[in-house]
Each structure stands twice: as structure tokens, then as C-alpha cells.
């Protein structure tokens, strides 16, 4: 269905954008690709151990916004971020900040499972190795095992740790990527439509996993599935044409949306 | 009529056939309403007619040209009967008859039977020319007429044309393969002949190479020794030096171009690098012989080393420069083909760019890179001009890159240049060497293609 452009797009977001115990806080963020602006004046807090879902129609800029949280946009030529993005009060776009260290603290899981063409073990051990997290082989084995356990993949792969990660099924590959991300013990995990390439059973497993992970990690997840947002998240942010329209506790967004655009999207009038 | 004239007539008839077929299909379509009611477009009917006009006639023409002379000659010679028994005598007499018949040789002074045979040849030739003309033209018009008459609304001309086209393409493809096969066969048979005089074991394992043989029976001289090991080691040495130069430089430049360089720089730098592959090898050859070899010799002398004027090092390093683009271009392609998601995955873990390249991109691209290196190696092994000019001719069995060595290709060149006897072991040795070279490079190419193919299946 086409987006109804007759309705005015507000410059102000509605709802509870701010959080008392904020892990990451974004203020007046604008993102540009060359001359084209993708994100307009977004202000948002993501709380400690919170699962924040970002929903919205395709091309609304939610993935762009997510990628700016660990500066993955740096790899895209011509991408420019204006505004404040801070984590625990530290500006992420400070020129003195070490982007390598930032990405170790803010992990990311991508849309399509992207295991390295290495063994399952080496996939998980990759991060700990480059950050020197393991003193010995025993340490490394331990990290690999606990990460795979946290990603609820251990029982499926413990007998074939040294076979290629690319040989796993799609859902297993995605859990391997999650294990890989949590192996460096990040504080925040960004997930960019982590289930869009998976079947319903694998999706259910990942959703279950997200719930478990939220005990230890702060999670921001971009998703196309509103049911998924409703199931896994604590708060939901609705994006529309590069603007943040509404942020509210998930239950409220899906039962009593404050903004008519949000309502239109969740009731399926467009999207 | 001359064959070339005949060819033009057939082509002209085929063009005429096209238009008449086209016209007839339109005429067939007229009472039906429009060409919509024909099975195929009118041009297909035209092409169908043209094909039937030209193809059988041309095939007959080709076959006739290939075999008619041989048949006539053997018929003539059979007529001479027991007069000729020896093979050499046979060819000589035949040539004499042909020359007398064409008037290149005056008939006076030739034996009677030669003059008679020449007269017979002339009369047969006249008859066969007429027969050919009549047959070809008949076939041409009969084929065209037959297919012209077949044109009807439900005749599936499109399928028929597609069918012929497919067979034509197949014929083109097989031509290339058959040529390769022909080369292999000719090399193989000559080699077998060589191995009848020199045992295979001596050739493959012998360590002394000195192919000079006595030409006359009573001549005093060496009987030749055909141990090819020094040539193999020389080839290996030079190729190894070339790879030592080319692999690091090629790989690093590929990594720079694919991962670090700006698109603009890459666009201009890559073709520039590829120019290296386009420089004629003979230019590299005199660059190696006149610039690099003396440079290395002087450099060695300043360190107190004794370097030959023509050294393996000079030839090998210049050859290395020549094959850089083979490696860099292929490696660049496979590195660019590594999906961005791999790099993103690594970068998102907090890896730096060089860690990402080292740990993820290169391992993922490795099979393709190895494929490129093997292709470059087979190129290095087969390279001739640089080594002829810069590596010398002496078949030394050595691993010292500062000495002169010779390679398989250089020996083939020296064995076959100038006037040679084509049945002496010396000349035939060139074919045996060629066979070895062919086997090795074929093996390397095969291996390289297998590796590259395997790599393609990796991410899906």
C-alpha cells in the first residue's frame, strides 16, 4: 500500500523518548548520504538492559539510524552524521574516540547471517583473539563454549566445532553470528532485522534468545515484523520517512498508539 | 569453373533464396489474412530457404576440395602399377607428373609414362572441374527449391532455423577443440618417434643435455645426450624466481587496489597495471638482457660475487614483473568479490581494516588467489623470449640463481631454428620437450580452474 502523503509529518516526536537510566542517548541526530538526508532530528534514549525495537516502513531510515550507533556507517562513502550520539555520556563521534574499541562495546548482528568462511570455533574465537581477551587456549575454549551456550547453539554444534560455520543451517548461522558478537562481551547489541532471512522456527529460537540476552545486554533491534517487536521488546520506536514519530512502551504502541501514523502502520493501512 | 567463383554463385543463390522464401511466405499468408497465421516470421522462412540453398552445396564443395586431389593422385599412381614401389620414389614421381601437367616442367626429357600420366591428369582435372560445377549448382538449386516448396502456414521454420544455428555454433566450438587435439596429436606422434631412439627414462632422468648429433654416418662427433633434467631444473629455477617477484608484489597491489584505493584511483591504476601484460615479451627480453643482467652482474661484483653475464636471476626477475598483472588483476577480482557482509561482520567485531583483510578477506579469497597464481605460473613456465635473451643457453644443472641456466622453451627454439633434419633425434627432441611442457602447463591450468571453480561455490 502506498504511503499516504496527505497527512502531515510532524517535526516533533511523541511519547516517552527519554529514559532515566539511559545507556545510549541520541539528541537531534541528522544523517546524510551525500546530499540526501536520511534521518531528521531524531532524539532517543535506550535504557540499561532494555530491548528497543525500531519499526517502520521500508526506507524509513531505521537501519541507517541503527548503524550510526556503532559507527558502521563509516564504511559507507559519503555518509555524514550530525548531532549527538553518546554512550554512558561519552560522545561516539568524538575524533579522539577509538572506533575499534567502540565496536567491541557495541556489537552488531546483521540481516543476513554472515559467518566467516572459517570453522565454528574460529568464528566465535575471532573477536576474543583480536582483542586479546584470552590469556591461553583454555581461556579461549571457555569463552567459545560460554558464548555458544548463551546463543543456545552449544548443544547443536559441540561435536563439530571445527567444521566450517558456513555449513550450518540459516538459523544456526544467525545464532553463530550472535555468539560471535557476544564473545567479546559487548554492552550493547545492535540487531538489523536478524530474522528476516530465517524460517519461523529459527525465528522463534532467536526471539527466545533475545529475551534471555536482555538480562545481560542492552539490545536495539530493527525489525519488519510487528509481531516480533511486540513479542521481544520493552519499548518500540516508530520511524516514518526518516523521522521518529513515536516512542512508547511496546504494549502501549500496539494497543493505544498515540500518533495516527503509528496507528496507520500497525493496523496495516500502509507499510 | 574456379572454386572461388562457384562460392560466390552459391552465396548469390542463397541470397536469392532468402528473398524468394520470404516472398512465398507472404504469399502463403495473404489468403489467411495476415502473417499472424504463419507459424514463424517471414524472415525465418527466408533464412530456411537460404540455408538449404547454401549449406549442402558448400559442404560438397568443401569435401571435394579436401579429397579430390588425393583421390585423383592415387588413381593416377595406381595406373602406373609396379613401376613405382618405393615411398620416396612415389612422391618424387607424383610431383614430377603434377609439374609436367601444369607446365612448370618441360615435357621433353621426361619418361614416357610421366608424360602420359600428366596428360591423363590434365584431362581428369578438366572433367572434375565441370563435374564439380554441375553438381554444386544442382545441389544448390535443388536444396533451395525443395525448401521453398515446403513453405506452408504450419511449417515450423523457426524451429528448423534454430536447430541449424545451434549445430553451426557447435561446429565452431568443436573447431577450437579439434585444433588443440590436432596440436597434441602432432606433438605426441613426433615424441613417440623420438622415444624410439632415446629411451623415456634417459630423457626424463638423465642429467646431461647436449643435443648435438652427427649428421652424416661417417662424421666424427658426439652422439648427443638427451637428459632433460637440467632443462627442467632451469625452468623451475627461473619460474620460481619469477613467482618470488610476482606473487608478493601482485598480491599487495591487488589488496591496495581492492581495499584501500579510491574508486577513481582504482579505475585508472588497474588498466595501467594491466599494460604490463601487453608489453611484447621481446621488449622485456632486451630489457632483461641489456639493462637488468648487467645491473645484477655489477651489483654482484661489488659484493664480491661472481655473477654470470646472463643469469637466471635477471631473466626470472624480469619475467616476474611481466606476470604481476596476471596475479594482481585476478586477485583484485576475487578480493572485490568477497561479500561486503564479511567485512561488515569483522569490522562490527571491532577488527581494524588490516585485521579484517588479513583474517577474513584474504582467507575467503584464497582459493581464487591461488588459482590466479597457478595461471601465472603456467605462463612463466611457457615463457620463451625473455629467457632466450637473458638466461643463456648453457644447460647447467644448478640451483644457483647467479649462474646461467636454460629452459625447456629456449631449447625448443634452438633445436628448431635454422635448417634442420626432420628425422634426427636432435630435432625430434624438441617435440618431446614440447610434450612435457604441454603436460605441465595443462596440469597447472586444470588445477587452477578447478580451484577457482571450487571457490565460486563457497558463499552460497
Amino acid at each position: 500500500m502506498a504511503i499516504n502523503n496527505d497527512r502531515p509529518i510532524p517535526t516533533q516526536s511523541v511519547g516517552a523518548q527519554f529514559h532515566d537510566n539511559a545507556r545510549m542517548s541520541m539528541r537531534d541526530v541528522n544523517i546524510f548520504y551525500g546530499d540526501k538526508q536520511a534521518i531528521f532530528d531524531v532524539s532517543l534514549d535506550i535504557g540499561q538492559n532494555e530491548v528497543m525495537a525500531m519499526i517502520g516502513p521500508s526506507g524509513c531510515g531505521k537501519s541507517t539510524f541503527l548503524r550510526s550507533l556503532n559507527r558502521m556507517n563509516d564504511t559507507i562513502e559519503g555518509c555524514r552524521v550530525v548531532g549527538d550520539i553518546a554512550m554512558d555520556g561519552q560522545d561516539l563521534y568524538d575524533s579522539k574516540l577509538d572506533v575499534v574499541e567502540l565496536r567491541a562495546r557495541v556489537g552488531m548482528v546483521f540481516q543476513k547471517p554472515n559467518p566467516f568462511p572459517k570453522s565454528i570455533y574460529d568464528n566465535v574465537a575471532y573477536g576474543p583473539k583480536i582483542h586479546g581477551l584470552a590469556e591461553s587456549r583454555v581461556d579461549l575454549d571457555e569463552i567459545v563454549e560460554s558464548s555458544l551456550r548463551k546463543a543456545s547453539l552449544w548443544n547443536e554444534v559441540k561435536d563439530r566445532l571445527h567444521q566450517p560455520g558456513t555449513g550450518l543451517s540459516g538459523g544456526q548461522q544467525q545464532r553463530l553470528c550472535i555468539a560471535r558478537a557476544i564473545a567479546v562481551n559487548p554492552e550493547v547489541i545492535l540487531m538489523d532485522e536478524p530474522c528476516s532471512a530465517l524460517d519461523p522456527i529459527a525465528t522463534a529460537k532467536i526471539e527466545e534468545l533475545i529475551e534471555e540476552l536482555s538480562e545481560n545486554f542492552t539490545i536495539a533491534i530493527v525489525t519488519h515484523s510487528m509481531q516480533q517487536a511486540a513479542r521481544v521488546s520493552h519499548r518500540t520506536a516508530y520511524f516514518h520517512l526518516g523521522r521518529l514519530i513515536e516512542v512508547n512502551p511496546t504494549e502501549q504502541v500496539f494497543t493505544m498508539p498515540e500518533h495516527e501514523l503509528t496507528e496507520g502502520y500497525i493496523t496495516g493501512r500502509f507499510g | 569453373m574456379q572454386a572461388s567463383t562457384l562460392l560466390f554463385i552459391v552465396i548469390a543463390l542463397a541470397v536469392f533464396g532468402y528473398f524468394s522464401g520470404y516472398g512465398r511466405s507472404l504469399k502463403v499468408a495473404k489468403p489467411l489474412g495476415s502473417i499472424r497465421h504463419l507459424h514463424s516470421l517471414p524472415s525465418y522462412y527466408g533464412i530456411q530457404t537460404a540455408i538449404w540453398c547454401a549449406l549442402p552445396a558448400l559442404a560438397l564443395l568443401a569435401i571435394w576440395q579436401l579429397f579430390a586431389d588425393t583421390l585423383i593422385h592415387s588413381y593416377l599412381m595406381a595406373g602406373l602399377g609396379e613401376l613405382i614401389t618405393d615411398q620416396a620414389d612415389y612422391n618424387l614421381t607424383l610431383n614430377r607428373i603434377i609439374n609436367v601437367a601444369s607446365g612448370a616442367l618441360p615435357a621433353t626429357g621426361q619418361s614416357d609414362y610421366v608424360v602420359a600420366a600428366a596428360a591423363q591428369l590434365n584431362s581428369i582435372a578438366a572433367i572434375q572441374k565441370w563435374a564439380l560445377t554441375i553438381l554444386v549448382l544442382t545441389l544448390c538449386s535443388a536444396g533451395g527449391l525443395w525448401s521453398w516448396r515446403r513453405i506452408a502456414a504450419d511449417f515450423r521454420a523457426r524451429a528448423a532455423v534454430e536447430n541449424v544455428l545451434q549445430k553451426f555454433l557447435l561446429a565452431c566450438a568443436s573447431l577450437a577443440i579439434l585444433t588443440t587435439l590436432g596440436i597434441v596429436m602432432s606433438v605426441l606422434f613426433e615424441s613417440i618417434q623420438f622415444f624410439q631412439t632415446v629411451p623415456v627414462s634417459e630423457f626424463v632422468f638423465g642429467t646431461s643435455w647436449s643435443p648435438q648429433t652427427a649428421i652424416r654416418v661417417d662424421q666424427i662427433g658426439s652422439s648427443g645426450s638427451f637428459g632433460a633434467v637440467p632443462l627442467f631444473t632451469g625452468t623451475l629455477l627461473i619460474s620460481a624466481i619469477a613467482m618470488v617477484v610476482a606473487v608478493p608484489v601482485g598480491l599487495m597491489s591487488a589488496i591496495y587496489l581492492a581495499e584501500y584505493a579510491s574508486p577513481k584511483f582504482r579505475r585508472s591504476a588497474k588498466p595501467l597495471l594491466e599494460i604490463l601484460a601487453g608489453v611484447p615479451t621481446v621488449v622485456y627480453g632486451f630489457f632483461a638482457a641489456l639493462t637488468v643482467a648487467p645491473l645484477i652482474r655489477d651489483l654482484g661484483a661489488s659484493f664480491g660475487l661472481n655473477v654470470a653475464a646472463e643469469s637466471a636471476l635477471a631473466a626470472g626477475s624480469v619475467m616476474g614483473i611481466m606476470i604481476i598483472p596476471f596475479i594482481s588483476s585476478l586477485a583484485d577480482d576475487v578480493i572485490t568479490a568477497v561479500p561486503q557482509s564479511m567485512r561488515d561482520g569483522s569490522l562490527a567485531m571491532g577488527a581494524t581494516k588490516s585485521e579484517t583483510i588479513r583474517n577474513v578477506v584474504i582467507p575467503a579469497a584464497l582459493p581464487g588467489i591461488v588459482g590466479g597464481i597457478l595461471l601465472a605460473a603456467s605462463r612463466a613456465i611457457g615463457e620463451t623470449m625473455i629467457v632466450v635473451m637473458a638466461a643463456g643457453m648453457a644447460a647447467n644443472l644448478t640451483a644457483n640463481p647467479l649462474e646461467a641456466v636454460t629452459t625447456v622453451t629456449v631449447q625448443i627454439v634452438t633445436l628448431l631454428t635454422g635448417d634442420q633434419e626432420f628425422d634426427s633425434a636432435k630435432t625430434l627432441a624438441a617435440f618431446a620437450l614440447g610434450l612435457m611442457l604441454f603436460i605441465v602447463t595443462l596440469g597447472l591450468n586444470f588445477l587452477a580452474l578447478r580451484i577457482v571453480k571450487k571457490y565460486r561455490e563457497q558463499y552460497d
Side-chain angles (χ1 to χ4, degrees), chain A residues 82-102:
Chain A
V82 181
D84 289 330
I85 301 180
M87 180 173 177
D88 299 333
Q90 187 188 13
D91 182 10
L92 298 189
Y93 284 80
D94 189 348
S95 57
K96 282 197 280 280
L97 178 118
D98 184 4
V99 72
V100 166
E101 197 200 329
L102 165 70

Side-chain angles (χ1 to χ4, degrees), chain A residues 67 72 75 100 103 106 108 110 114-118 126-127 130-131 180-181 184, chain B residues 263 341-342 344-352 355-356 359-360 363-364 458-459:
Chain A
R67 287 170 68 97
M72 280 304 285
T75 60
V100 166
R103 287 178 188 154
V106 183
M108 189 160 190
F110 295 85
N114 59 346
F116 304 133
K118 296 172 184 287
Y126 183 76
I130 57 175
H131 293 296
R180 185 174 76 185
V184 292
Chain B
S341 68
M342 295 278 152
D344 282 352
S346 173
L347 292 172
M349 301 288 304
T352 63
E355 280 170 340
T356 300
N359 296 326
V360 175
Q458 190 136 43
Y459 313 115

Side-chain angles (χ1 to χ4, degrees), chain B residues 13 15-16 36 64 99 120 126-128 131 151 156 162 196 296 299 321 352 361 377 386 389 419-420 451 453:
Chain B
L13 279 175
V15 172
F16 173 74
R36 227 158 25 86
W64 195 290
N99 283 333
Q120 198 187 0
I127 293 168
Q128 71 106 0
I151 293 173
R156 300 174 175 228
E162 293 286 333
Q196 277 162 357
I296 289 175
L299 208 66
I321 291 167
T352 63
V361 177
I386 295 174
M389 295 167 84
D419 287 341
Q420 304 291 348
I451 290 174
K453 196 175 150 207

Side-chain angles (χ1 to χ4, degrees), chain A:
Chain A
M1 246 176 284
I3 293 168
N4 188 346
N5 283 323
D6 298 339
R7 270 182 294 228
I9 293 163
T11 48
Q12 285 291 317
S13 317
V14 298
Q17 286 158 268
F18 305 111
H19 199 285
D20 295 336
N21 189 12
R23 191 86 227 225
M24 303 196 84
S25 58
M26 289 64 83
R27 295 291 178 273
D28 300 319
V29 175
N30 289 278
I31 304 178
F32 302 86
Y33 289 118
D35 298 330
K36 212 180 135 262
Q37 187 163 4
I39 288 288
F40 299 84
D41 300 319
V42 171
S43 295
L44 183 66
D45 279 346
I46 301 175
Q48 177 76 39
N49 289 15
E50 184 181 42
V51 179
M52 163 73 80
M54 300 176 187
I55 60 171
S58 297
C60 69
K62 51 197 192 304
S63 287
T64 301
F65 183 67
L66 188 78
R67 287 170 68 97
S68 71
L69 301 186
N70 71 343
R71 291 186 54 178
M72 280 304 285
N73 281 337
D74 290 10
T75 60
I76 297 168
E77 209 154 314
C79 183
R80 205 151 48 81
V81 178
V82 181
D84 289 330
I85 301 180
M87 180 173 177
D88 299 333
Q90 187 188 13
D91 182 10
L92 298 189
Y93 284 80
D94 189 348
S95 57
K96 282 197 280 280
L97 178 118
D98 184 4
V99 72
V100 166
E101 197 200 329
L102 165 70
R103 287 178 188 154
R105 291 173 66 196
V106 183
M108 189 160 190
V109 176
F110 295 85
Q111 188 169 355
K112 222 180 127 210
N114 59 346
F116 304 133
K118 296 172 184 287
S119 73
I120 295 170
Y121 183 95
D122 287 336
N123 260 286
V124 182
Y126 183 76
K129 267 188 197 159
I130 57 175
H131 293 296
L133 299 182
E135 299 275 316
S136 64
R137 186 81 195 174
V138 184
D139 272 5
L140 196 60
D141 288 348
E142 225 164 78
I143 294 175
V144 170
E145 182 179 340
S146 74
S147 309
L148 284 170
R149 276 189 194 284
K150 280 185 207 157
S152 43
L153 191 62
W154 174 253
N155 287 330
E156 290 160 65
V157 300
K158 64 183 174 203
D159 299 325
R160 47 169 175 159
L161 286 177
H162 295 283
Q163 284 170 25
T166 42
L168 295 172
S169 74
Q172 288 174 328
Q173 285 189 12
Q174 194 62 303
R175 276 181 284 151
L176 178 63
C177 292
I178 293 175
R180 185 174 76 185
I182 58 188
V184 292
N185 206 15
E187 295 155 32
V188 180
I189 302 174
L190 309 175
M191 297 186 173
D192 189 357
E193 299 178 38
C195 302
S196 63
L198 304 182
D199 65 59
I201 295 168
T203 303
K205 279 205 170 136
I206 303 265
E207 287 177 4
E208 213 173 290
L209 181 59
I210 291 171
E211 213 170 309
E212 285 166 27
L213 292 176
S214 69
E215 287 170 22
N216 300 313
F217 304 97
T218 300
I219 296 173
I221 176 170
V222 164
T223 177
H224 264 285
S225 152
M226 282 177 277
Q227 291 88 335
Q228 182 169 67
R231 281 192 296 261
V232 302
S233 69
H234 304 136
R235 282 200 304 157
T236 297
Y238 173 66
F239 284 78
H240 188 98
L241 295 179
R243 291 177 202 278
L244 177 59
I245 305 299
E246 173 172 351
V247 194
N248 266 320
T250 301
E251 221 183 282
Q252 191 192 335
V253 170
F254 287 102
T255 51
M256 294 181 289
E258 227 173 286
H259 198 282
E260 57 170 323
L261 279 173
T262 318
E263 194 187 349
Y265 182 68
I266 63 167
T267 54
R269 254 185 282 147
F270 56 84

Side-chain angles (χ1 to χ4, degrees), chain B residues 7 26 59 62 86 105 119 163 169 183 243 360 395 409:
Chain B
L7 187 72
L26 288 183
D86 189 18
L105 209 65
N163 202 359
L169 295 178
I183 293 173
M243 297 315 283
V360 175
T409 51

